[in-house]
Amino acid sequence: LAFVVDEGTTAGDLIAAARDSAGPELREMRVFDVYRGEGIGEGKKSVAFHVEFRSPERTLSDEDGRRLREQIVAALADGFAAELRA
């Protein structure tokens, strides 16, 4: 998942909000790229994350993954005006 956010937004804040929204099934979320430049906009950056979902109780379905992803996208949009980068 990659998000365009204001330059002052920290990856740690994004991860904390994602964890709050997705709960314990979000097992890992770590930054693998930060991009500033053409196509992003003045005062903005793109932060890309490796995301891993897992449940100790059951196998997660594709629908579970989609739901968790949508929860994270919505939480970061609401909390940071983050835009999912296509």
Side-chain angles (χ1 to χ4, degrees):
L1 297 174
F3 296 93
V4 176
V5 295
D6 289 336
E7 183 65 47
T9 303
T10 68
D13 288 342
L14 295 171
I15 291 169
R19 288 195 183 285
D20 286 346
S21 69
E25 291 176 334
L26 176 57
R27 302 300 286 187
E28 181 179 359
M29 185 170 180
R30 63 179 161 78
V31 176
F32 73 85
D33 186 48
V34 178
Y35 173 77
R36 295 169 181 90
E38 190 175 325
I40 299 300
E42 187 75 26
K44 302 278 187 180
K45 64 184 174 185
S46 171
V47 184
F49 296 94
H50 164 81
V51 179
E52 182 180 318
F53 302 121
R54 190 172 350 133
S55 171
E57 288 90 33
R58 63 187 180 88
T59 300
L60 296 176
S61 67
D62 289 342
E63 181 57 36
D64 292 325
R66 194 171 11 264
R67 175 184 49 79
L68 291 164
R69 178 181 177 267
E70 288 171 358
Q71 286 174 212
I72 291 170
V73 170
L76 298 188
D78 289 345
F80 302 94
E83 297 176 23
L84 185 63
R85 191 166 174 212

